[in-house]
Amino acid sequence: MANTFKNIKKKLRRKRLLAEKRHLEKAQAGAGGNEAARRKIKAALRRKKAVLKPVAVILIAVFVVLAGFLFLEKRTYRNYKVQVTSEQEDTVSTQYTYLSGKILRYSSDEVSLVNNKLETVWSQTYDMQNPVADVCGDCAVIADKDGTSMVFLDKNGITGTVSTSYSIVKAKVSKTGMAAAILDGDHTWINFYNLDGSLVAENQTNIQDPGYPMDVALADNGVVMMVAYQFVDSSETTSYIAFYNFGEVGQNEDDRIVSGYTYDGVVVPQIQYLGSNAVALRDDGFTIYSGRQIPKELKTVQVEQEIISTFYDENNIGLVFKNDSKDKQYTMQVYSSAGKLKFSKDFNIPYTTIRMSDDYIVMYNSSQLCVLNSNGSEKYFGSVDGTVKDFFKLGWNKYLLVMDTGVNVIKLS
């Protein structure tokens, strides 16, 4: 009996020791698992930090750039510094415009491309009496107004020439280099040209049907031409906007006119393509058209005030009215290319020229300059010594200032 009791005690002790051993092993295993888990978490955090660090750097850089951009957009300048000047220029007979990030300089016998240091990139000659240029993107056409010569060019030089049979009234170019010209002689013609000067199409117009062509514009796709006609119907002036398609879409249409719109009692002196949309600037507002192949009316904005100036670029349409205030003689309204009003602003600058220039609004008279950003905030206003002949934006905070005494590249300060 005693031996049996001893045996039972030994078995119970072995079971207890075995249970304690197993418990210890489990505890050690758990500790090891927790350590492995901690190591995994630390490794994951290190990887996360490695990923987040460059992202944080990029976000900070973007924030700094945006903050700098907003600061510069809101900054107002009161002075300017002349960076480059040329007093050898014949600013009486030479004209200037902006082409492909550089300056296109042209006169009656020569055209040249000049960089922002006023260094000549290339120069070529021709013979005209009254040259007038139209620029779109990297392409330009120079026409001898009331003469018969035209030259087509891009940023690399002249690409083609044309001698017309009738006097040139107006010439326009597209981004693709296609050009159109209104010609006047025994009849009035509208001709359509390739970049090399070869004739694509010609169209004789009639004073009654569809009317006398007031302006012409070309779409970026190089196949659609927009023409504004004017005629008198029952003693009332009427305007007709026609869209010609010289591609496959227009080949089965009469005179290739794919769409047309008549406006009774309205004068349309100016039309223009603004990117993919087109605009007819009317004496009572403007109408926007949309459609790459068959343009349709998108929106008409009518105003009651008399419009004294218009200006535009691919993103903006601007109108200026006279108002009755002695302190603010003018009111400016700027719309998006879809016809939405962006802002209205009263101002009192007796300008002679107003234009969009590199997304800014530039105004000047013979002795004063004014620059507004596309939101209407004034960037610069000041007077200059001498007589201003031309003024437009070249790039970030740089402008070409053409005076009677020479040409300057200036930077606002």
Side-chain angles (χ1 to χ4, degrees), residues 136-295:
C136 188
D138 293 337
C139 298
V141 58
I142 301 176
D144 192 4
K145 184 175 173 59
D146 299 324
T148 58
S149 297
M150 283 192 295
V151 297
F152 307 95
L153 54 94
D154 60 19
K155 59 183 179 180
N156 298 313
I158 292 177
T159 59
T161 60
V162 169
S163 181
T164 62
S165 301
Y166 301 99
S167 297
I168 301 167
V169 177
K170 184 174 290 188
K172 291 284 191 71
V173 70
S174 73
K175 281 186 176 180
T176 59
M178 305 293 286
I182 300 174
L183 310 177
D184 200 7
D186 296 335
H187 301 281
T188 302
W189 296 79
I190 300 174
N191 287 2
F192 193 38
Y193 300 93
N194 281 312
L195 181 63
D196 61 3
S198 58
L199 183 66
V200 175
E202 57 183 355
N203 181 40
Q204 182 180 336
T205 69
N206 186 290
I207 191 65
Q208 295 299 325
D209 183 19
Y212 184 82
M214 299 291 288
D215 201 3
V216 61
L218 297 170
D220 290 347
N221 60 19
V223 298
V224 177
M225 179 174 69
M226 177 186 186
V227 182
Y229 295 97
Q230 184 175 311
F231 61 95
V232 177
D233 184 18
S234 301
S235 74
E236 184 178 53
T237 298
T238 300
S239 293
Y240 175 62
I241 304 297
F243 289 92
Y244 297 80
N245 191 309
F246 294 99
E248 293 182 3
V249 174
Q251 62 184 355
N252 295 322
E253 303 293 335
D254 292 341
D255 296 328
R256 288 187 171 268
I257 297 177
V258 291
S259 60
Y261 303 91
T262 301
Y263 304 101
D264 297 329
V266 174
V267 176
V268 181
Q270 194 173 22
I271 57 177
Q272 185 66 34
Y273 261 90
L274 313 176
S276 59
N277 289 348
V279 62
L281 294 161
R282 308 153 40 135
D283 62 351
D284 64 347
F286 59 87
T287 298
I288 297 171
Y289 309 86
S290 180
R292 288 183 57 81
Q293 297 293 333
I294 305 177

Side-chain angles (χ1 to χ4, degrees), residues 339-351:
K340 182 179 180 180
L341 180 65
K342 297 175 70 173
F343 70 87
S344 180
K345 181 183 181 70
D346 295 332
F347 65 100
N348 195 35
I349 300 167
Y351 70 92

Side-chain angles (χ1 to χ4, degrees), residues 22-77:
R22 288 175 178 172
H23 179 71
L24 182 60
E25 288 175 349
K26 285 184 179 180
Q28 289 175 343
N34 290 337
E35 183 63 29
R38 283 195 292 270
R39 285 197 297 268
K40 288 181 179 180
I41 292 171
K42 287 181 178 180
L45 289 173
R46 283 195 297 269
R47 288 194 298 269
K48 191 173 182 179
K49 287 181 180 179
V51 172
L52 290 178
K53 188 174 181 179
V55 172
V57 171
I58 292 172
L59 289 175
I60 292 170
V62 170
F63 175 79
V64 170
V65 170
L66 288 175
F69 176 78
L70 291 173
F71 170 76
L72 292 173
E73 275 294 290
K74 291 183 177 296
R75 182 181 176 184
T76 299
Y77 302 90

Side-chain angles (χ1 to χ4, degrees), residues 305 321-331 346:
Q305 308 99 309
F321 319 99
K322 270 271 194 181
N323 62 39
D324 298 328
S325 172
K326 293 182 180 180
D327 297 330
K328 304 288 185 180
Q329 298 182 50
Y330 305 99
T331 297
D346 295 332

